[in-house]
Amino acid sequence: MCKLLLPLIAAGALAAQIVTPGPQVLTFLSSVDDSDQPYAIYVPKPFDPARRYPLVISLHGSGSNHRLNLRRVFGKGNLPLETDSDATHYFPALKTVDFIVASPFARGSMGYQGIPESDVYAVLEDVKRRFPIDEDRVYLTGLSMGGGGTLWLGLTRPDVWAAIAPVCASTPPWAEELAGNALNVPVRLFHGDQDPAVPVESSRRWHKQFLDLGVKAEYVEYPGVRHNSWDPAYKDGAIFDWFANFQRQRHPERVRFATRAYKYGSAYWVKLDGIAPGALASIDARFTGKNRLEVATAGVDGFTLELTGHPIFAAGSPLAVTIDGTALRARPAATVSFRRTAKGWQAGRLALPATAKRAGAEGPLPEALAARHIYVYGTADQPGDEELKRRRDTAATASDWSSPRARLMLSFAVKADRQVTGRDLETSNLVLFGTRETNSLIAKYADRFPLALERSAADYGLVFVAPIDHGHYAVVSSGLPWWTGAEAAKRPGLRYEPLPYRVLQTFPDFVLFKGSLGNVLAEGTFDREWYLPAEAAEKVKASGTVMVPQRAAVK
């Protein structure tokens, strides 16, 4: 088919579909649990399928939903004496703006990491599939829990967004160290100085940190306002006027980017090819002239520069690149790679061993639960009825992420090991309970696992993650379930997340405890090739309860 016809066909398809202007609810099919997930959307009137529209993604707070949040971002709060339940039933008249606005549901109140995070990007893709979107004018805002989500999504993938606006942000752990990633993303923070739920000092600290790092950040603080700063922040749809000032920088002169994960391994024209597990890796790359770059790194073993289309790059001419003080010349190419060697930095792509950590096979534990997964209890040792019920109940407890306070739109399969099909193994991560003696799937993958709990270790709990077939993960929970004693342990985590999930969100690659999570004997991150680090190995072996298979012995 002629490439010139494709834009015409796409425009014709959009013109042919029926587009209803105004606020409404749409759904997308989630690959996580095969469910239809809702999101609220506003479509401008009149709608012109021949033009491309700016898009605002707006994230709701804890205890709220997509419908209420669409009202909020337009400055439409509840009427006097109107409950959230009543306000959810209808959309009021909204200000006419020249934006498409989408508000994901995010499964309820569980933050915007893991599955809700992937839902936000699924909504973004679904909106782009349905409507003509200007990808250089995609904006992100949110309130409270959604404000924290705005910071997390905005900082982990800064090259997606033209600008972000967090409102009284309840910040997720590990976000502040990424503040410098917003170098090319304008930020506007809002907070009430009497906020009893999220202390105002949080936004003040964020604002100072942004300014210290050279980020274009504004901060609006409302005297006397409590935990409803979205009311003045979004009044009369003012946020759209602010967003209209910005477009995404596709090719910034300087890219500063930090990450702990290959999952968030690139920004703009920089991609990290090798990072140290569990540590913060950073790169600061800037053009100092035509085809001249200076690069500073920390915790980076290799990186690639993709310079196609950059206005300061001249195709056909060599590159002069200084990396951590070492001057190198690179061949004329739009894509160039560099790797750290024993002799220092050299041109060339970093080659990772087949068993090395990489995107989709790097952990930590929460990553296994961030996608489609199945909870599996063991029957290999032919347990009696009472024991079988206990095992099934343990797996079911782990699979139920809801709480009396928050009912979440999630549904995960719970199966006995003998019920897991080949299709399950091809499509899902596995959460396996038991030991190699009790669970046939743990036995199946035992030679690949870096740890194993002795079956006799009744008062211990071991949980770890490891890669298995088809690009999937297995989480193994042996002995006491990973959430045993979690409330008393008071591990960090977002308060609105359900307990088993909230606790697991705080784990690195492995945790070994005795009696309860209040008595952790060892926890940490496996090294680049999923080996147990020496210091952790000593602690694990000292317990006398954990086997360290030969393949995972300390190198």
Side-chain angles (χ1 to χ4, degrees), residues 18 23 59 65 129 168 200 239 253 262 273 329 358 407 414-415 438 524:
I18 298 174
L59 309 180
N65 59 52
R129 179 181 63 83
C168 56
V200 68
I239 197 65
E253 180 179 312
Y262 287 104
D273 300 322
R329 298 281 288 182
R358 63 189 70 237
R407 303 302 300 174
V414 177
K415 294 187 175 185
T438 64

Side-chain angles (χ1 to χ4, degrees), residues 436 440-452 464 549 551:
R436 69 177 70 192
S440 61
L441 288 176
I442 296 178
K444 173 183 173 69
Y445 297 112
D447 62 340
R448 308 186 199 181
F449 288 160
L451 297 170
F464 64 86
R551 69 172 295 276

